[in-house]
Each structure stands twice: as structure tokens, then as C-alpha cells.
């Protein structure tokens, strides 16, 4: 029999056991053969004493005798130990040799015992002895620092986990399918696995299948054949086998890709599920951002892009269009959306031309919404949210196409409608114009079709508005505005009521802020716990800019409170003069006076003014600068943080309990020329969007007290594609609604600063229905107390006429059933001055129709307590509905009230 091969580790373990009781004996005979290349000499610490060990391999009696003799001569008095590995039987050795040997016999290595000793255990799981591959691997793979102690009994699981950590680099904590898949994407671990002996590979794979599950069967098969890098990609592709309509060709192709790793169906299902689950976790991690998020994002893209390549090579791309991870499937969903958008838009064009109606079929609009939903459900939509912006905006625009046509009845009505609706249209148009980042021609053409149809209708509105502007401009003034709020009236009508003995407003002039920008900023401000209010019922106020709508006329008029043309000094003096008339001191700060010194965001004089009693005005030029210097054209959105100093000023206003008025001085149109120059040749050019002379197509001539330049007579374009000067990112001065309508956002840090006669605006009321795609939640009807009339009883006799049976009452709503329940009766006893039952019922029904989410302001309005502190109203309703503290009604992020319908039904014993 071939003697077993022994290495240094085995001998060290054997010596640790044999030397302590050996006394002064210095010869150890061991059955085996010392490994070629192993160190012939080494030191070993035995009971805190270092011993020198010399190892020789002798396969004859004479060789053993000679080795022992030489060792004695070399170390006559020393304690060095000679280890002789040999296959010679004890019977062939004389007693003169065996008498010097430890134990007086040749020692046979019990490798399992050595494993036990190396782990510091006192007992060994019997299964370890039966699995020679495991014993050999544990002896071979012992780390430099030794095995970590595993307790008094070394179990098979503990031994294999330790081996996996040493061999494959997989820690023994939380070893699951996700960990194993992540490991497969590295290079070092799988490479080491492939290099292991076959018995060890088989043993480790079997244990992983037992511990991790069926996923390990397929995965380790792929790793063993060298396909670890493509394992997850193949898992993405293998999902096609579970599709109901998978073709035989697809099944055959995927089977070929998986090869011997194909395994049984349950194992394949487990593998696919584990791959998709791991990718989803990486996607969530990627959404968190930062370096970790970017690494996770790259991992996902590496897997799915590789899967797309493999699928294309195998001819499976079309079969995988339903896959929620593949980039090709994402493109397919974009193409489906493009087809739906095109169908709706072309239908709208045809209807308008043939039947004089402009409402596309509701089913076609719903199909576009469904295609958008499918796109959003693809996981790449979460990694590329910017690619979905244009898609979402395009669907919103086709929903708008299905709505009513805007009719401009007056200048005031046109401006109000633009703030309510047109600004949101412009916001969506900006995103659709920018298009899809991947530059897909089919998708791009669909977006262009939507853009051109909606833009055409916006042009009709602008033309109609400009026509109304012509007679209005001839006589409109603060004495006769015809229902419009003029730009010079904003301080008096909107800002002055906010200036009280207890507070002074902060006026932030966002130069060039359009209704589209205001709509976006308003959404973000609502999420920051600002309470938006208005002097007008349930809608934002808006003003009409001067003519032409340029800064030196419109902003000066705004800040001085009178029609005026001037510069910064005119504005500063006029602002102070206006507030002196109101018996207040005031400070106006322009761009140069905002920034502070090193270590301070805001200038000290500005901070002092904010901390004092002055009415403070600050002009922020970020938007107008972006138009002039080429940055606005690249934008599809504006964030609060994009506007320099705006977040700092808002924080300061909250700290000092100041109401804030965000107001533009005019709006703007964007550069959307498709030609290199796009310049409109004209005479009398004074600026990009106004001139003198006679009007041409797309222009109107305006004259009157509202015209502050051009000696009271100007020509201005209403079409957005007309400009007279060099190309920039955007322009203003014309007569389009986007330029003439001035948005006003009034924000309070606390509702107790609400002026008399003003109203709190629910965020939902500022968003048009087509933007959200949800039906508008019905407002609760006014609650009145009705006393029933008394009627004389009628005898139950046969009469001459049949009295019809009363019609059955309609089924009670969910809210009505809740407030009629015994549980609600108990809850109401503990809430003094609770809202009436019909009001609470209406609130529940309104929340249900709004998908269970509303703002606190809308909740207060729904229960008939508009204008009250919305947070207090929400807290009161929570006490009514949150039985035993369960969160039936909760507040998310401080600004969204959420109704858990299932929990509501459970707590109050009602059904939906």
C-alpha cells in the first residue's frame, strides 16, 4: 500500500500530541512519505519551549539507522527531534531503533484526530471521519494563524463553513443565496474553486446545496465549468423558461446556455428567483446614491447588459421582451409607449380636423397610461429615472389633449388659467422637447409628435390671449385692471397684508420665474412643511407683467409699487418709499449684497435685516442668468437648491417667523429653434422679444398706459419661436402667457400668521387633474342641520291609488359605515369637539378616492375646517381613527397623510 503523503502541518499537529509525554526521547517514526519540497527543518513551540525539528524520509531499515546515528552525532546533548517518515513495518525494525523512538513504535497519523486537535476540539462529529475529502481539505487549507476555535465539539457544519471561508473567501456569517451570487461575480473565489480537487468541489457544492438551497445546484455547476462571471446574466435569461408563451426554440436555446447546470425545474426556479432578488436589492442600494450606490448601480448594469449580449447571440431578445431587467426589454417598453403616444396624438389631430372635436378616445389615453406603468415597472426605470421623465411628461400631455380646450375670455382669466394649467403644460413640454437620453429615433419621433400637437394648441391660446391684450392694454391701469392683478399692485395687495406688528414679510424676487418654474418649486416647498396661502380662494395669485415684459420695466414696477422703468437704484429707493407710505422700514438687496464673507453664506447686513423688523426684499437672478448664459436650455427641471441662496433665505425666514412671498417679475420662453440661427429679421429691434414698427405674422402691436417702453407703442410676438437678437437659452419681453403671467407663491412658516380673509391652499388644488392622472377627489358637501317635518299619520287602509314603494337607498359609503360602527362611538367619547360624523365620513371617502394620500391642508378642508391649523386637525382625526394606537391614519414625511384602508376596515369591523 502506498504510504500517505504527510506535510509539515500534519507533522506539527502530531508532534504537539506526541512530544509532551515523551520525556527525553528525540526520535519519532511516522508511517508515511514526507511531501516533496516541504521544509526539512523547522522550529516548534512545545509547552512554551522551542524545539528544533528535523525531518527525513527513509524507506529502508539501513536508511533509518543511518539517519538516527547521524542525528545523535550532530546533537549529542541537545533536545532536537528527528522525525523519520517511512513505510517500513515495525517488525522489520530492530529494538535498538524502536527503543529510542517515541512510543517505541511507528506512529500512524489519524488525520481526523489531527483536524480535531487543530480546531482545539475535544470531540469530533462522526460524519467528518467518513468524509475523507473534508479531512484532507481541512489539513491542507489551514490558515497561517490556525483555525478559529469552534467549541468543544467540531461539527460538520462548522468544519465546512471554516473551509469555505478559507478556500472561497466566503465568510461564515449569513451565507445565503444573495451572498453566493455576489461571490460568483468576483474573480478570485470562483477561480480558487475551479482549482480544487474534484472530490472537494463536489463536497462543497453538495453542502452549499443543503445549506443555501437549490440555487447552489445551478450556480456551482456554472462556476465549476468556468461560467461564474456570466452566472447572474444567465439567471436573468433563464426567466424566459417560466413564461407561459415560451417557444420550444427558446427553451432549447436556454437549455444550451445552461448546459450541465440546467438542473431540475425547482432548482432552476430557485436560481432565477435568487438572481432577480439579488438584482432588486442592488437596485435599492443604487437608489440610495453615494459611492456604495454607484457601485451597486454598476453591478446591476454589468449583469443586465451582459445578459442582453448573450440573449442577442442566442436569438432570444424578442422572447425576453417581458423581462423586467434587460435593457432591450426596457427599450421595447419605450417603443410600446411611443406607439401608444403616437396613436393618441394622431387621433387628436384627426378628430380636430374632421369632427371639430379635440378629445382623443379615452381608451387610447388609458393605453398610453398603461404603457407608462409598464415602463415604470421595469427595474432600469429606477436606475435611469431621467430617462422616464420625458415619457411621464408625454403621457401627461396626451391626457391634457383629452381635456377641454382653453378659451381665453379676458386677460385676467388667461393669466389665472395659465398659472392653474398652462404653466404645467409648459413644464411638461420642456421635458418632452429634451427627449429621451438614449436618442431612440422611434421614441424621439413620438415625443416630437406630442410636442408639436400640444405646442400648436398652446399657440392658439397665446394668440387668443394676445388678441385680448390689445384692447386691454389701451386703458388697463390700477384703477381699471378688469379683474387682473397688475405687477405694480403685488406689494400692496399681496405683501402688505402680511406685514403686521408681529411679523415682517420676506419678498424674494426670482427674476424670470415662469409659471412652469413656479409649479415645480411649489411642489418642493410643500414637501418642506411650508404652508401655502393666497388672498384668492383655493388658488395662487398671479399678476400681469408690464409691456414689454422685460426686467427694467416689470421688475422696477413690482418693487416700487407703480408703473416705472429704472435700474437697481430706482428699485431700492422705490421699495423703501413704498413701505414708508405703509409706516414700515424696508431693505432691498440685489445680487452683490447677498453673499457673505468667508464662513458665512449670507452677508451680515442682510442677516441683520432679516433678524430685525424691516420688510426685506431680495432679488435672485439665477433663472434670468441661466437664460442669458446658456444654462436654462439644458434644463428639464428646477430644484430649490439650483437657485443660489434660495434655501438659505428660506431657512432664515423660518427661523425669524417671516412670511415669504416668491414672485417673478416676468416669465420667459425657451429657445427651441430647429435651425442654426432661428433669427427673425425685423425693423426697430430693441430687444430679443420686442421692437417698434408694424406687426407681422405671430406679432401684435400694443399701446397704452401698460406699455412702458417704445414711447408707449411696441410690437411684441406672441409666438414663442420669434426672436430678434442672438441665440440664447431663453427670452422675455413678448406677449405670450409664459412671459406675461407672473406667478406668486405666498408661504407661511405657521398657519397662525394667516391674514384675515385669506385661505390656505391645499397642494392638491394647485395641480391640474391631468398631471396626476387621478380623478379629482370630491369635496365634502356643506354640512347643515335639517329638522324633519312632522306629518300626520296615515291610516293603513286600502286607498284609491297605489303608493309606490320607495326606491332602495344607495349602499352606504365606506366612510359612512365607519362612523356608524360601535367602535367609532367608543372612539368619539374620548375626543372632545370632534368633527361631525358626516365630515369624518366624507374625509374617509375622499382619502379612498385619492389612493389613500392627501396633504394635511386638504384633510382640514375635507372635514370642513379649512383655514384651521391642519396639523391639529389631522391629530384630531387620528385620535378618532387610530384605534388602540394602530396607524390607520398616519403622516409620512410630515406632509402626506396616509390612510391604511385594510387596517381601517379591520379596526372598525367593516368591509370595503
Amino acid at each position: 500500500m502506498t504510504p500517505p503523503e504527510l506535510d509539515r502541518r500534519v507533522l506539527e499537529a502530531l508532534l504537539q500530541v506526541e512530544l509532551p509525554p515523551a520525556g527525553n526521547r528525540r526520535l519519532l517514526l511516522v508511517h508515511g512519505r514526507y511531501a516533496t519540497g516541504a521544509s526539512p527543518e523547522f522550529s516548534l513551540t512545545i509547552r512554551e519551549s522551542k524545539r528544533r525539528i528535523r525531518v527525513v524520509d527513509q524507506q529502508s531499515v539501513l536508511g533509518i539507522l543511518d539517519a538516527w546515528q547521524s542525528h545523535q552525532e550532530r546533537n549529542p546533548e541537545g533536545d532536537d527531534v528527528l522525525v523519520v517518515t517511512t513505510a517500513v513495518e515495525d517488525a522489520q525494525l530492530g529494538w535498538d531503533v524502536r527503543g529510542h523512538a517515541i512510543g517505541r513504535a511507528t506512529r500512524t497519523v489519524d488525520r481526523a484526530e489531527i483536524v480535531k486537535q487543530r480546531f482545539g476540539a475535544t470531540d469530533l462529529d462522526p460524519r467528518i471521519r467518513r468524509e475523507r475529502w473534508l479531512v484532507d481539505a481541512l489539513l491542507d487549507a489551514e490558515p497561517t494563524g490556525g483555525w478559529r476555535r469552534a467549541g468543544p465539539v467540531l461539527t460538520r457544519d462548522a468544519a465546512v463553513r471554516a473551509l469555505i471561508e478559507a478556500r472561497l473567501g466566503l465568510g461564515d456569517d449569513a451565507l445565503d443565496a444573495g451572498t453566493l451570487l455576489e461571490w460568483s461575480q468576483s474573480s478570485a473565489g470562483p477561480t480558487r474553486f475551479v482549482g480544487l480537487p474534484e472530490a472537494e468541489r463536489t463536497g462543497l457544492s453538495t453542502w452549499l446545496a443543503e445549506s443555501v438551497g437549490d440555487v447552489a445546484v445551478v450556480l456551482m455547476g456554472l462556476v465549476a465549468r468556468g461560467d461564474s462571471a456570466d452566472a447572474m446574466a444567465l439567471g436573468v435569461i433563464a426567466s424566459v423558461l417560466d413564461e407561459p408563451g415560451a417557444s420550444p426554440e427558446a427553451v432549447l436555446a436556454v437549455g444550451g446556455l445552461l448546459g450541465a447546470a440546467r438542473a431540475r425545474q425547482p432548482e432552476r426556479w430557485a436560481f432565477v428567483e435568487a438572481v432577480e432578488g439579488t438584482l432588486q436589492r442592488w437596485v435599492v442600494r443604487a437608489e440610495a446614491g453615494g459611492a456604495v450606490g454607484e457601485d451597486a448601480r454598476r453591478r446591476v448594469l454589468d449583469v443586465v447588459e451582459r445578459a442582453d449580449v448573450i440573449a442577442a447571440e442566442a436569438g432570444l431578445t424578442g422572447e425576453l421582451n417581458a423581462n423586467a431587467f434587460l435593457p432591450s426589454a426596457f427599450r421595447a417598453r419605450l417603443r410600446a409607449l411611443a406607439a401608444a403616444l403616437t396613436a393618441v396624438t394622431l387621433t387628436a389631430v384627426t378628430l380636430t380636423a374632421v369632427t371639430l372635436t379635440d378629445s382623443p378616445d379615452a381608451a387610447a389615453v388609458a393605453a398610453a397610461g398603461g404603457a407608462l406603468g409598464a415602463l415604470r415597472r421595469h427595474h432600469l426605470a429606477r436606475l435611469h429615472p431621467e430617462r422616464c421623465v420625458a415619457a411621464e411628461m408625454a403621457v401627461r400631455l396626451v391626457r391634457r389633449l383629452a381635456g377641454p380646450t382653453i378659451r381665453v375670455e379676458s386677460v385676467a382669466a388667461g393669466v389665472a388659467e395659465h398659472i392653474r394649467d398652462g404653466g404645467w403644460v409648459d413644464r411638461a413640454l420642456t421635458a418632452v422637447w429634451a427627449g429621451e437620453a438614449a436618442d431612440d429615433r422611434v421614441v424621439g419621433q413620438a415625443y416630437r409628435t406630442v410636442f408639436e400637437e400640444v405646442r400648436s394648441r398652446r399657440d392658439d391660446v397665446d394668440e387668443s390671449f394676445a388678441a385680448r391684450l390689445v384692447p386691454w392694454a389701451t386703458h388697463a391701469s390700477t384703477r381699471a385692471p378688469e379683474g387682473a392683478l397688475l405687477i405694480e399692485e403685488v406689494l400692496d395687495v399681496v405683501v402688505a397684508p402680511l406685514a403686521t406688528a408681529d411679523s415682517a414679510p420676506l419678498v424674494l424676487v426670482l427674476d424670470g420665474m415662469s409659471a412652469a418654474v413656479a409649479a415645480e418649486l411649489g411642489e418642493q416647498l410643500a414637501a418642506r412643511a411650508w404652508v401655502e396661502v393666497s388672498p384668492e380662494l383655493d388658488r395662487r395669485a398671479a399678476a400681469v407683467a408690464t409691456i414689454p415684459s422685460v426686467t427694467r420695466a416689470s421688475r422696477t414696477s413690482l418693487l416700487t409699487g407703480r408703473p416705472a422703468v429704472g435700474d437697481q437704484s430706482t428699485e431700492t429707493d422705490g421699495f423703501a418709499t413704498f413701505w414708508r407710505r405703509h409706516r414700515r422700514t424696508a431693505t432691498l438687496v440685489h445680487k452683490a449684497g447677498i453673499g457673505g464673507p468667508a464662513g458665512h453664506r449670507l452677508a451680515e447686513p442682510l442677516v441683520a435685516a432679516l433678524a430685525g423688523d424691516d420688510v426685506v426684499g431680495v432679488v435672485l437672478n439665477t433663472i434670468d442668468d441661466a437664460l442669458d448664459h446658456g444654462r436654462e436650455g439644458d434644463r428639464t427641471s428646477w430644484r430649490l437648491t439650483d437657485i443660489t441662496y434660495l434655501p438659505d433665505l428660506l431657512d432664515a425666514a423660518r427661523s425669524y417667523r417671516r412670511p415669504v412671498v416668491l414672485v417673478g417679475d416676468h416669465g420667459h420662453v425657451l429657445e427651441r429653434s430647429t435651425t442654426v440661427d432661428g433669427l427673425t429679421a425685423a425693423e426697430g429691434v430693441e430687444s430679443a422679444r420686442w421692437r417698434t414698427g408694424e406687426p407681422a405674422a405671430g406679432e401684435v402691436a400694443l399701446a397704452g398706459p401698460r406699455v412702458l417702453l417704445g414711447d408707449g407703442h411696441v410690437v411684441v410676438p406672441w409666438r414663442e419661436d420669434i426672436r430678434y437678437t442672438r441665440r440664447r437659452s431663453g427670452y422675455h419681453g413678448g406677449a405670450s402667457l409664459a412671459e406675461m403671467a407672473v406667478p406668486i407663491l405666498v408661504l407661511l412658516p405657521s398657519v397662525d400668521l394667516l391674514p384675515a380673509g385669506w385661505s390656505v391652499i391645499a397642494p392638491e388644488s394647485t395641480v391640474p387633474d391631468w398631471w396626476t392622472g387621478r380623478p379629482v377627489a370630491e369635496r365634502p358637501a356643506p354640512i347643515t342641520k335639517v329638522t324633519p317635518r312632522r306629518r300626520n299619520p296615515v291610516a293603513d287602509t286600502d286607498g284609491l291609488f297605489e303608493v309606490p314603494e320607495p326606491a332602495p337607498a344607495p349602499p352606504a359609503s365606506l366612510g359612512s359605515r365607519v362612523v356608524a360602527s360601535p367602535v367609532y362611538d367608543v372612539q368619539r367619547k374620548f375626543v372632545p369637539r370632534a368633527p361631525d360624523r358626516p365630515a369624518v365620513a366624507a374625509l374617509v371617502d375622499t382619502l379612498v378616492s385619492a389612493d389613500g394620500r392627501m396633504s394635511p391642508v386638504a384633510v382640514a378642508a375635507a372635514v370642513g375646517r379649512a383655514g384651521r391649523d391642519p396639523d391639529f386637525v389631522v391629530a384630531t382625526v387620528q385620535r378618532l381613527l387610530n384605534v388602540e394606537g394602530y396607524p390607520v391614519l398616519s403622516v409620512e414625511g410630515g406632509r402626506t397623510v396616509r390612510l391604511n384602508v385594510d387596517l381601517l376596515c379591520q379596526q372598525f369591523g367593516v368591509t370595503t
Side-chain angles (χ1 to χ4, degrees):
M1 176 182 288
T2 303
E5 185 175 80
L6 308 174
D7 60 14
R8 174 177 166 176
R9 276 203 184 92
V10 172
L11 293 183
E12 285 179 346
L14 185 62
L15 288 164
Q16 292 281 4
V17 175
E18 298 289 348
L19 284 182
N24 60 358
R25 295 179 185 277
R26 298 184 296 146
L27 173 63
L28 178 65
L29 301 176
V30 184
H31 180 68
R33 180 180 296 277
Y34 197 44
T36 302
S39 176
E41 293 187 10
F42 54 86
S43 297
L44 187 66
T45 301
I46 304 294
R47 291 183 177 177
E48 301 181 357
S49 176
K50 184 172 288 188
R51 305 284 294 274
R52 177 176 282 294
I53 311 298
R54 181 167 175 261
V55 184
V56 297
D57 187 77
Q58 295 292 341
Q59 300 301 322
S60 68
V61 175
L62 289 177
I64 296 172
L65 288 170
D66 182 63
W68 173 235
Q69 185 67 33
S70 297
H71 182 74
Q72 288 178 305
E73 292 173 356
R74 186 182 303 171
N75 302 284
E77 302 295 336
D79 60 356
D80 291 3
V81 177
L82 175 66
V83 177
V84 179
T85 58
T86 182
V88 178
E89 299 289 339
D90 280 355
Q92 297 176 357
L93 295 173
W95 276 105
D96 53 341
V97 175
R98 291 169 57 191
H100 292 283
I102 296 172
R104 293 184 173 83
T106 302
R107 293 315 205 193
T108 301
V109 176
D110 185 342
R111 300 172 73 83
E113 284 296 314
I114 293 177
V115 166
K116 181 179 72 174
Q117 185 262 331
R118 301 306 292 169
F119 276 89
T122 58
D123 204 355
L124 201 65
D125 188 327
R127 292 176 295 176
I128 295 177
R129 292 184 179 277
R130 294 195 295 268
E131 297 189 70
R132 181 169 178 175
W133 73 268
L134 178 55
V135 173
D136 290 345
L138 289 169
L139 291 174
D140 181 61
E142 183 176 359
T144 304
W147 292 113
R148 188 168 56 245
R149 296 299 182 255
V153 178
L154 179 61
T155 64
R156 177 175 178 268
D157 275 356
V160 178
R161 284 180 180 275
L163 180 62
I164 284 177
E165 183 175 7
R167 291 292 208 201
L168 308 182
L170 280 165
D172 61 351
D173 297 330
L175 184 56
D176 56 17
T179 305
L180 202 57
L181 286 167
E182 289 197 35
W183 166 83
S184 73
Q185 299 303 288
S186 64
S187 57
T191 300
R192 290 200 298 266
F193 178 81
V194 172
L196 296 175
E198 182 179 356
E200 187 174 348
R201 290 202 308 268
T202 302
L204 290 177
S205 298
T206 301
W207 184 89
L208 286 169
E210 294 170 356
S211 302
V212 176
D214 288 341
V215 60
V217 175
V218 181
L219 178 60
M220 298 313 292
L222 292 169
V223 173
R225 78 178 197 191
D227 284 335
S228 62
D230 287 340
M232 290 189 67
L234 291 170
V236 174
I237 295 170
S239 65
V240 74
L241 297 179
D242 301 323
E243 294 293 333
S247 67
E249 293 78 12
V251 174
L252 187 63
V254 174
L257 290 172
L258 293 178
R262 180 170 31 188
R264 297 177 296 111
Q265 189 179 56
E267 294 162 348
R268 191 183 68 245
W269 281 347
F271 178 59
V272 171
E273 186 176 286
V275 168
E276 292 180 346
T278 299
L279 287 173
Q280 287 178 25
R281 285 194 296 274
W282 289 356
V283 168
V284 171
R285 204 179 303 166
E287 289 179 305
V292 174
E294 184 56 33
D295 177 68
R297 183 175 185 274
R298 186 67 260 161
R299 285 188 182 189
V300 175
L301 294 178
D302 285 345
V303 169
V304 299
E305 288 169 1
R306 177 57 183 160
D308 238 354
V309 170
I310 297 172
E313 291 172 349
L316 290 168
T317 301
E319 297 274 358
L320 287 161
N321 277 347
N323 188 276
F325 288 100
L326 289 176
S328 58
F330 184 77
R331 288 192 296 272
R333 296 187 192 199
L334 263 176
R335 292 283 183 94
L337 173 62
L341 291 171
T342 302
V344 175
T345 310
L346 293 180
T347 300
V349 173
T350 303
L351 288 173
T352 303
V354 177
T355 64
L356 301 182
T357 177
D358 57 1
S359 297
D361 181 67
V365 176
L372 176 62
L375 182 69
R376 285 173 172 163
R377 287 191 293 275
H378 196 287
H379 294 291
L380 287 189
R382 298 163 63 186
L383 294 186
H384 299 294
E386 72 286 351
R387 294 185 63 184
C388 295
V389 170
E392 183 176 33
M393 295 299 185
V395 170
R396 284 170 168 164
L397 289 176
V398 297
R399 285 202 294 258
R400 183 64 191 88
L401 284 175
T405 299
I406 301 299
R407 311 292 180 191
V408 179
E409 303 297 337
S410 67
V411 169
V415 168
E417 187 64 21
H418 184 71
I419 299 299
R420 188 195 70 81
D421 186 271
W424 296 84
V425 172
D426 287 350
R427 178 180 168 189
L429 282 170
T430 299
V432 173
W433 171 267
E436 206 269 328
D439 198 24
D440 185 304
R441 288 181 177 273
V442 174
V443 177
Q445 182 57 47
Y447 290 163
R448 179 178 179 179
T449 302
V450 172
F451 178 90
E452 290 179 347
E453 176 61 19
V454 176
R455 183 62 252 179
S456 173
R457 299 193 184 198
R458 284 283 290 111
D459 284 346
D460 292 343
V461 175
D462 280 335
E463 184 177 16
S464 179
F465 173 76
R468 298 286 182 182
L469 200 60
V470 173
W472 180 82
T474 61
H475 61 268
S477 66
T478 54
R479 294 182 178 179
E482 293 189 7
L485 176 66
L486 306 182
I487 190 73
E488 61 267 29
E489 295 180 304
V490 171
L491 290 182
D492 199 34
V493 174
V494 178
V495 183
L498 299 169
T500 67
D502 298 325
S503 66
L506 169 63
V507 182
L508 298 177
V509 181
L510 275 58
D511 196 349
M513 179 174 68
S514 64
V517 176
E520 190 164 13
L521 296 181
E523 283 185 327
Q524 297 167 52
L525 289 163
R528 292 194 172 201
W530 286 96
V531 179
E532 187 174 357
V533 300
S534 175
E536 302 185 24
L537 182 62
D538 212 25
R539 71 177 188 181
R540 289 173 177 154
V544 185
T546 61
I547 303 169
S549 51
V550 292
T551 300
R552 60 194 178 103
S554 206
R555 193 175 80 188
T556 303
S557 299
L558 165 68
L559 291 171
T560 60
R562 60 185 178 84
V565 177
D567 53 15
Q568 291 187 8
S569 62
T570 308
E571 294 169 357
T572 302
D573 294 341
F575 192 71
T577 300
F578 173 87
W579 286 108
R580 275 199 299 271
R581 292 199 300 268
H582 287 74
R583 296 181 175 82
R584 299 295 294 253
T585 56
T587 300
L588 179 64
V589 181
H590 288 87
K591 184 176 182 179
I594 302 175
H600 301 272
R601 283 287 292 168
L602 301 177
E604 293 178 7
L606 175 55
V607 173
L610 290 169
D613 297 327
D614 281 11
V615 175
V616 178
V618 181
V619 178
L620 301 176
N621 300 97
T622 302
I623 298 172
D624 200 46
D625 287 348
L627 296 172
D628 194 41
H629 296 103
R631 296 190 297 273
E632 169 67 355
D634 299 329
R635 287 187 180 275
T636 58
S637 64
W638 277 94
R639 297 169 299 173
L640 292 171
T641 52
D642 292 332
I643 300 175
T644 309
Y645 299 117
L646 179 56
D648 309 282
L649 290 164
L650 289 171
D651 290 343
R654 189 188 298 278
S655 298
Y656 297 118
R657 281 179 54 83
R658 282 180 176 266
V660 177
V661 178
L662 263 67
V663 59
D665 53 351
H666 53 72
H668 64 262
V669 294
L670 297 175
E671 171 58 51
R672 288 173 179 151
S673 299
T674 56
T675 60
V676 175
D677 187 4
L679 194 67
T680 300
E683 297 179 352
V685 172
E686 296 287 342
S687 185
R689 293 273 290 174
W690 75 273
R691 65 184 182 87
T692 58
E694 296 300 320
E699 300 173 324
V700 291
L702 300 174
R706 302 300 304 151
V707 182
L708 302 187
L709 296 171
D711 295 328
H713 296 78
V714 297
V715 172
V716 291
W718 54 262
R719 268 179 33 197
E720 71 165 25
D721 59 349
I722 294 177
R723 62 177 170 84
Y724 312 120
T725 59
R726 65 179 176 84
R727 187 187 187 102
R728 295 185 296 173
S729 288
Y731 317 92
H732 52 86
S736 72
L737 275 164
E739 296 161 284
M740 292 295 297
V742 177
I744 303 170
L745 280 66
V746 184
L747 312 167
L748 302 181
S750 173
V751 75
D752 58 9
L753 297 176
L754 184 70
W758 285 40
S759 63
V760 176
I761 303 178
E764 293 88 339
S765 67
T766 65
V767 183
D769 310 339
W770 55 266
W771 186 268
T772 61
R774 295 184 312 209
V776 182
E778 295 182 2
R779 296 179 182 275
I783 301 165
T784 55
K785 189 172 182 179
V786 180
T787 304
R789 268 188 208 170
R790 294 192 177 186
R791 294 190 299 174
N792 294 326
V794 178
D796 186 16
T797 59
D798 292 336
L800 296 176
F801 303 100
E802 289 288 334
V803 178
E805 290 288 330
S813 68
L814 176 61
S816 298
R817 296 198 299 277
V818 167
V819 300
S821 67
V823 176
Y824 186 84
D825 290 338
V826 174
Q827 288 291 105
R828 200 171 187 280
K829 292 178 182 178
F830 299 101
V831 184
R833 297 186 297 278
D836 293 339
R837 290 178 194 264
V840 176
L843 170 62
V844 170
D845 295 334
T846 303
L847 274 163
V848 171
S849 67
D851 290 342
R853 286 176 170 81
M854 290 172 60
S855 68
V857 175
V859 169
V863 295
R865 296 190 175 184
R868 308 282 184 87
D869 182 349
D871 294 331
F872 175 78
V873 175
V874 171
T876 301
V877 179
Q878 282 183 303
R879 293 175 61 192
L880 285 169
L881 300 182
N882 291 1
V883 180
E884 296 180 354
Y886 284 94
V888 172
L889 197 70
S890 58
V891 180
E892 297 177 344
R895 303 316 303 158
T896 302
V897 179
R898 179 180 180 273
L899 176 69
N900 187 326
V901 177
D902 292 338
L903 192 56
L904 173 79
C905 295
Q906 179 182 339
Q907 293 298 97
F908 287 90
V910 298
T911 59
T912 55

